[in-house]
């Protein structure tokens, strides 16, 4: 309890699902929370926190709009005096195979996820940089929300997978820019039964309420909230799959092998003749979908 006493957090999409659980756990650890969502559900999470002795306010707004990021950061500062933690979580799906997807489906998903994550991070970065420059140093945290679709590519989700993949690189980029101001930025890909996934039969709650509910969204929050504590200061630019009783630490693109000529340009023929040196016996088809087994 109280590992986050005195900290101020924003949770986007905190009206439901995983974001709501993050907000509740942050508050129960002593953080003051700005709960964002599109509608009334932001207020219901904030009320739940206030009714159980915590401190929260709600700010409705679409994270895809530039001014929402600024309103969220201003609300945190005006209501609670500072901002330490930003949990970028808001999201939705507009699934379709690439050959069936329309422009609106593509644009909406990129806007809410990729732009929405940036909009809030940018507004926080403006404030944190100003604070650091005026000599007020404090640990700051951004936790972004990706997806296994973003890590591995998900058929039927070229909009969502691109946005979630972009968020992985956005996180590292923000880390490179902002770590000098005390900011760490990490990504979590949750697995949970929420409004987004409740159509998936295999994620249903267990029949016996005594059994561990693997897909309960509250299972994702302890690691997310732990990343927000001062103890996690050295963890930066990392990505994790989190759900059930598992935490999987993931790695990004890495160097496989290389070939180099001696100060001359490649031709198609020299590429042919070096092909084996580059690829050898290695697997060159689509990367495996290496989602960890869940239980
Ligand atoms: N549930 C999973 O297994 C899973 C898997 C991978 C990734 N995710 C990601 O986790 C995050 C949370 O999703 P969830 O599963 O809790 O779903 P959810 O539908 O229960 O919650 C998402 C919340 O975001 C809000 N939201 C949507 N668009 C918004 C916008 N433009 N501005 C502000 N709020 C907005 C919704 O109103 C909703 O309350 C999302 O980013 C999602 O892509 C979830």
């Amino acid at each position: 309890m109280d590992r986050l006493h005195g900290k101020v957090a924003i949770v986007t999409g905190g009206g439901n699902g995983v974001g709501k659980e993050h907000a509740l756990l942050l508050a129960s650890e002593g953080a003051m929370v700005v709960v964002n969502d599109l509608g009334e559900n932001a207020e219901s999470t904030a009320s739940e926190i206030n009714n159980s002795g915590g401190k929260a306010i709600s700010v409705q707004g679409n994270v895809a709009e530039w001014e929402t990021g600024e309103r969220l950061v201003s609300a945190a500062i005006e209501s609670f005096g500072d901002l330490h933690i930003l949990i970028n979580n808001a999201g939705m799906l507009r699934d379709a195979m690439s050959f069936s997807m329309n422009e609106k489906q593509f644009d909406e998903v990129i806007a809410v996820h990729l732009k929405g994550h940036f909009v809030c991070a940018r507004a926080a970065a403006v404030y944190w940089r100003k604070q650091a420059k005026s000599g007020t140093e404090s640990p700051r945290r951004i936790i972004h929300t990706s997806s296994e679709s973003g890590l591995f590519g998900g058929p039927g989700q070229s909009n969502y997978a691109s946005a979630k993949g972009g968020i992985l690189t956005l996180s590292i980029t923000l880390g490179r820019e902002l770590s000098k101001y005390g900011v760490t930025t990490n990504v979590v890909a949750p697995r949970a039964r929420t409004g987004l996934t409740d159509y998936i039969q295999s994620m249903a709650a267990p029949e016996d309420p005594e059994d561990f509910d693997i897909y309960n969204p509250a299972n994702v929050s302890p690691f997310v909230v732990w990343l927000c504590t001062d103890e996690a200061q050295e963890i930066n630019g990392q990505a994790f799959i989190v759900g059930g009783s598992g935490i999987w630490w993931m790695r990004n693109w890495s160097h496989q092998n290389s070939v180099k000529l001696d100060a001359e340009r490649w031709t198609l023929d020299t590429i042919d003749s070096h092909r084996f040196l580059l690829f050898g016996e290695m697997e060159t088809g689509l990367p495996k979908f290496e989602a960890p087994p869940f239980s």
Side-chain angles (χ1 to χ4, degrees):
M1 291 289 275
D2 266 13
R3 299 270 297 267
L4 295 171
H5 180 75
K7 306 273 188 191
V8 182
I10 293 170
V11 182
T12 71
N16 287 302
V18 178
K20 177 176 179 178
E21 298 300 336
H22 296 340
L24 296 178
L25 188 59
L26 284 162
S28 75
E29 287 294 336
M32 296 164 270
V33 187
V34 178
V35 184
N36 154 263
D37 211 297
L38 286 171
E40 293 292 314
N41 48 4
E43 182 48 34
S44 76
T45 302
S47 298
E48 198 172 324
I49 292 172
N50 289 318
N51 292 339
S52 53
K55 282 192 184 146
I57 58 161
S58 64
V59 176
Q60 292 181 19
N62 178 355
V63 292
E65 290 169 8
W66 207 255
E67 55 88 31
T68 302
E70 288 164 357
R71 271 197 304 123
L72 289 173
V73 172
S74 299
I77 299 164
E78 279 159 25
S79 300
F80 302 128
D82 206 339
L83 174 68
H84 306 93
I85 297 161
L86 166 64
I87 301 196
N88 272 329
N89 163 84
M92 47 49 151
L93 295 172
R94 298 285 183 269
D95 289 357
M97 297 298 275
S98 50
F99 39 81
S100 306
M101 188 170 294
N102 62 40
E103 186 175 1
K104 188 164 179 277
Q105 289 168 316
F106 188 82
D107 287 351
E108 279 180 357
V109 169
I110 297 291
V112 172
H113 290 273
L114 185 56
K115 183 177 172 192
H117 271 54
F118 179 72
V119 159
C120 298
R122 189 204 72 92
V126 170
Y127 171 66
W128 288 335
R129 179 168 173 266
K130 252 190 221 145
Q131 289 293 101
K133 284 192 178 282
S134 66
T136 309
E137 305 234 333
S138 184
R140 316 284 187 180
R141 299 281 181 270
I142 309 178
I143 314 296
H144 304 277
T145 310
S146 184
S147 149
E148 287 168 71
S149 193
L151 285 158
F152 306 118
Q157 296 192 316
S158 46
N159 50 1
Y160 182 73
S162 311
K164 292 302 203 187
I167 285 167
L168 291 159
T169 317
L170 171 65
S171 173
I172 294 172
T173 304
L174 291 170
R176 296 197 198 290
E177 290 181 357
L178 304 176
S179 52
K180 60 177 173 283
Y181 307 126
V183 183
T184 67
T185 154
N186 292 288
V187 185
V188 164
R191 267 195 209 173
R193 182 183 59 256
T194 65
L196 218 67
T197 55
D198 57 7
Y199 67 96
I200 304 172
Q201 300 265 313
S202 59
M203 292 176 111
E207 278 173 21
D208 182 347
E210 295 293 305
D211 287 350
F212 179 55
D213 181 2
I214 299 177
Y215 297 102
N216 188 322
N219 298 337
V220 181
S221 303
F223 186 66
V224 168
V225 171
W226 181 82
L227 284 172
C228 298
T229 64
D230 292 355
E231 286 70 37
Q233 184 66 35
E234 78 283 5
I235 298 163
N236 198 6
Q238 304 302 315
F240 307 87
I241 298 173
V242 182
S245 37
I247 299 165
W248 292 269
W249 183 20
M250 307 306 288
R251 269 279 162 219
N252 54 349
W253 288 100
S254 60
H255 169 225
Q256 293 267 71
N257 195 15
S258 57
V259 284
K260 193 167 178 303
L261 299 177
D262 189 16
E264 68 184 283
R265 181 176 298 162
W266 290 98
T267 66
L268 301 192
D269 288 338
T270 53
I271 293 170
D272 269 343
S273 62
H274 286 74
R275 177 192 169 124
F276 191 76
L277 277 177
L278 182 60
F279 297 118
E281 305 281 350
M282 286 187 287
E283 185 59 59
T284 52
L286 275 170
K288 288 196 180 61
F289 193 87
E290 287 172 336
F294 208 73
S295 48

